[in-house]
Every structure is written in structure tokens, then in C-alpha cells.
Amino acid sequence: RLNHTRTVLIAGNHDHLKPHDVFSQYKWNSEVYLLDGKQRDHISFEDLETTIYGFSYWKNQITKPLYDRMKPDESEGSDFSILLAHGGDESHIPIQREALKWSGFDYIALGHIHKPQSLVKDKIAYCGALEPIDKNDVGQHGYIIGEITERGCKTRFVPNAKREYCHVEVEVT
């Protein structure tokens, strides 16, 4: 149904790739792109003047801070660069916010943490899960929509979940 949409994805720790698994062998439609490299991979869309970078997990845990020195490749000739990254804790690619902030990417879309949160306004954000995953995923869930132009990046969170968990104290007598 997304006839005019290009989708770029990476595999995270819960859906990490394995040699010859179904996910990495799946024949995606022509507008879906899996960045399945173990190291920095990218896809360029010349008509959008945009290059999207990222890499997939090939095992459940990666303890090295692989994003801290990542930068866009200036030879790609794209006006805009986006990084898809997954992690942020000790066992899943530790992330230094300041290193990412000054990395040169126009926007960094983070995954791993289920609660939406902005690390740097209009620059780095965890979108969270579209729906709460378990009883501890309290608060709003949805997606982030953004636009990158010559003037910069503007994003906003769009609540979209069909349900919401909340903690409630109930006195039982």
C-alpha cells in the first residue's frame, strides 16, 4: 500500500540476522531496502539527494561503540544524510550522545529503547515502539515524522498507539 514510499531498515538485537535465515533471504519489494552489512552500509537515492547509512546486528549483543566514529561519506555527493542506528546500552552498541551530535548526519533515527525520546531536538531521537510492548511501556507511543531541507531538519512525534498502559494503585479490601 506504500506505493510512493521507500523503506530502509536494519535488523536489531531481537531480530538479528543469521546466515541463510528467512529474514535476510526474503525478497523484499523493489522499494524496501535492508542494510544487511555487519559494518557501515548505505543506500543512496539520487532523486532525493539523500543517503541513508546503517548496519544490521548479526548477533544478539554488540558491546563496542560502533557509532561513535561514524560519519557520512562526502564522496556520495548527497545533500542529506541519515543514520539508522540501534542500541544505546552496555550490551547493545553503547552510544555517546555528543559523538553522534557532531557526526555530520542531518538526522539520526535510533531504535532499541521502546519509549520515544529526543536526545537532540530535531537531530537524534528514539521513536520508540508503535505500540507498548509490555506493562512497563507506559506513556504515549507512535512514530516520528520529519522533513529535511536546506534549512535543516524538523521533526515531530505523532501519537498513534491503539492502547496505552498506565500504572494504577488499587486498594483492595
Side-chain angles (χ1 to χ4, degrees), residues 10 52-54 67-68 70-72 81-87 95-111 117-127 144 148 153 155:
I10 59 174
I52 307 206
Y53 298 85
Y67 299 117
D68 288 356
M70 195 173 286
K71 306 232 181 275
S81 60
I82 298 170
L83 174 63
L84 303 181
H86 187 96
I95 291 174
Q96 289 184 8
R97 184 182 305 193
E98 285 299 307
L100 285 183
K101 181 179 177 180
W102 302 110
S103 64
F105 291 100
D106 295 295
Y107 183 71
I108 299 170
L110 297 171
Q117 57 185 285
S118 175
L119 299 186
V120 176
K121 183 175 173 35
D122 294 325
K123 179 89 171 169
I124 305 170
Y126 283 99
C127 62
I144 294 174
I148 300 175
C153 182
T155 63

Side-chain angles (χ1 to χ4, degrees), residues 6-168:
R6 295 179 206 154
T7 303
V8 181
L9 59 112
I10 59 174
N13 61 300
H14 291 298
D15 52 8
H16 64 278
L17 303 178
K18 300 172 194 141
H20 313 295
D21 70 2
V22 174
F23 192 66
S24 59
Q25 301 301 314
Y26 185 77
K27 299 295 180 212
W28 300 97
N29 100 16
S30 62
E31 297 299 325
V32 177
Y33 308 89
L34 172 64
L35 299 179
D36 60 0
K38 293 180 184 180
Q39 298 178 359
R40 190 182 83 164
D41 199 357
H42 69 280
I43 179 98
S44 293
F45 300 108
E46 291 180 19
D47 58 322
L48 300 174
E49 300 173 343
T50 301
T51 300
I52 307 206
Y53 298 85
F55 59 85
S56 287
Y57 276 60
W58 280 83
K59 58 184 179 176
N60 183 312
Q61 295 185 350
I62 302 173
T63 57
K64 294 180 181 176
L66 300 175
Y67 299 117
D68 288 356
R69 291 194 174 105
M70 195 173 286
K71 306 232 181 275
D73 186 352
E74 307 226 354
S75 68
E76 285 300 319
S78 295
D79 288 345
F80 308 111
S81 60
I82 298 170
L83 174 63
L84 303 181
H86 187 96
D89 62 39
E90 300 301 315
S91 299
H92 306 97
I93 310 181
I95 291 174
Q96 289 184 8
R97 184 182 305 193
E98 285 299 307
L100 285 183
K101 181 179 177 180
W102 302 110
S103 64
F105 291 100
D106 295 295
Y107 183 71
I108 299 170
L110 297 171
H112 183 61
I113 295 174
H114 298 168
K115 294 181 182 183
Q117 57 185 285
S118 175
L119 299 186
V120 176
K121 183 175 173 35
D122 294 325
K123 179 89 171 169
I124 305 170
Y126 283 99
C127 62
L130 289 171
E131 293 284 341
I133 304 299
D134 66 36
K135 66 182 188 273
N136 293 314
D137 282 349
V138 296
Q140 290 188 322
H141 284 71
Y143 58 90
I144 294 174
I145 189 166
E147 182 177 10
I148 300 175
T149 67
E150 292 79 16
R151 293 186 305 246
C153 182
K154 287 288 182 200
T155 63
R156 67 182 169 88
F157 177 75
V158 180
N160 193 55
K162 302 291 184 224
R163 66 179 187 271
E164 183 175 326
Y165 288 112
C166 59
H167 292 158
V168 178

Side-chain angles (χ1 to χ4, degrees), residues 169-173:
E169 286 188 32
V170 176
E171 184 177 327
V172 177
T173 58

